[in-house]
Amino acid sequence: MELCHCSSFLLPPESPNAKSSLSLNYALIVLNQSLPRFAPLLWDHASVRVCADGGANRVYDEMPLFFPHQQPSHIRTRYKPDVIKGDMDSIRKEVLDFYAKLGTKIIDESHDQDTTDLHKCVAYIRDLTPDTDQSTLCILVAGALGGRFDHEIGNINVLCRFSNTRIILLSDDCLIHLLPKNHCHKIFIQSSVEGPHCGLIPIGMPSGSSTTTGLKWDLKDTAMRFGGLVSTSNIVKGEIVTVQSDSDLLWTISIKKP
């Protein structure tokens, strides 16, 4: 089975190249890290926007900074999350009250300390999505990288726990998503906004055999494992990269600065 991947969400929605043939239904989760510079683009692509606890502080504080010539109150009203969900240990009271008055749904899950706020938000979005639409769901996660390393690892663990859902972790510098094993993956490179640096990293277990095309240093039935070879600091050569492996791999690619 072939799975296709495309980062057209990094392009303006009105751009012809943003009309991905994948016809994905985007959802956005905002975590409690600095918003990437393209956060308004992600917001515009998404049909549902969920803030994970303190992620609401980031939207409230930082979204107006992208529009310095407009009134902060107008921007905060325009970029109102649909849902704030989490254990509510980080969100400021004035932020919670502000969005609650605008009609944002508040879901307090402080009773659940066994899953991360990202896990809670992904589960919520999946529950919102009919089974018939699960294959087209793509969850974009802003602020998933950077900050505490244990938080980053927790976010990567969510990719593995929801391996049948497209989830893309984003920062200002790069994106990461899972390539589930035993599929042929075709990655359409948006060269105007991403690359050329990329990497493929086995996750969960070593890879006995991984094969790629479209990279400067392609893999050919190559074994990869921690403590041995992993394909970091690779470079994309063209517009399409293909990957096939007997192990789940993380795909990461740099995001270009404007």
Side-chain angles (χ1 to χ4, degrees):
M1 178 181 175
E2 182 178 81
L3 294 180
C4 296
H5 311 270
C6 182
S7 301
S8 56
F9 53 83
L10 292 173
L11 300 171
E14 63 274 11
S15 168
N17 291 332
K19 304 299 187 289
S20 169
S21 60
L22 304 183
S23 299
L24 296 178
N25 175 30
Y26 291 107
L28 174 63
I29 297 173
V30 180
L31 302 185
N32 192 12
Q33 287 291 335
S34 295
L35 297 180
R37 62 190 180 281
F38 42 82
L41 268 183
L42 303 180
W43 198 280
D44 291 342
H45 278 288
S47 58
V48 60
R49 298 98 175 180
V50 180
C51 285
D53 195 359
N57 297 338
R58 301 290 181 166
V59 173
Y60 183 91
D61 293 338
E62 298 176 24
M63 199 65 87
L65 303 180
F66 296 112
F67 305 93
H69 303 299
Q70 299 184 40
Q71 288 291 331
S73 59
H74 295 166
I75 300 304
R76 288 175 178 136
T77 301
R78 188 164 108 209
Y79 290 93
K80 174 187 74 69
D82 300 299
V83 178
I84 299 172
K85 184 178 175 72
D87 57 15
M88 302 300 163
D89 63 346
S90 300
I91 187 170
R92 303 196 308 269
K93 185 178 186 304
E94 69 269 21
V95 174
L96 184 66
D97 292 345
F98 177 83
Y99 288 126
K101 288 177 182 177
L102 290 178
T104 295
K105 185 175 183 178
I106 311 297
I107 305 175
D108 185 341
E109 295 222 347
S110 54
H111 62 279
D112 177 7
Q113 294 298 314
D114 292 331
T115 60
T116 66
D117 285 338
L118 175 57
H119 183 118
K120 295 176 176 70
C121 291
V122 169
Y124 176 81
I125 291 170
R126 279 176 51 87
D127 289 344
L128 277 183
T129 307
D131 291 343
T132 53
D133 296 337
Q134 292 282 346
S135 63
T136 63
L137 174 64
C138 182
I139 300 175
L140 310 174
V141 186
L145 307 168
R148 279 172 45 187
F149 182 65
D150 61 328
H151 283 168
E152 290 184 308
I153 291 298
N155 295 337
I156 290 171
N157 188 50
V158 169
L159 298 184
C160 298
R161 296 191 72 168
F162 294 93
S163 60
N164 293 325
T165 300
R166 295 174 188 264
I167 304 172
I168 302 175
L169 308 182
L170 292 144
S171 74
D172 244 359
D173 300 303
C174 68
L175 63 82
I176 295 176
H177 61 83
L178 189 73
L179 303 180
K181 62 184 179 181
N182 298 325
H183 292 283
C184 180
H185 297 274
K186 182 180 286 187
I187 304 168
F188 295 91
I189 305 299
Q190 298 291 326
S191 56
S192 64
V193 290
E194 64 180 345
H197 299 97
C198 65
L200 285 164
I201 303 162
I203 188 74
M205 61 181 293
S207 167
S209 176
S210 294
T211 298
T212 67
T213 65
L215 302 179
K216 184 174 182 179
W217 294 285
D218 273 321
L219 307 173
K220 296 180 176 62
D221 295 320
T222 304
M224 292 193 293
R225 64 180 178 85
F226 279 97
L229 173 72
V230 293
S231 181
T232 57
S233 298
N234 214 323
I235 292 177
V236 295
K237 290 196 307 183
E239 298 300 311
I240 296 177
V241 171
T242 68
V243 181
Q244 191 156 13
S245 179
D246 62 353
S247 170
D248 291 347
L249 300 179
L250 293 177
W251 165 257
T252 182
I253 189 167
S254 58
I255 298 176
K256 291 180 177 177
K257 302 292 186 183

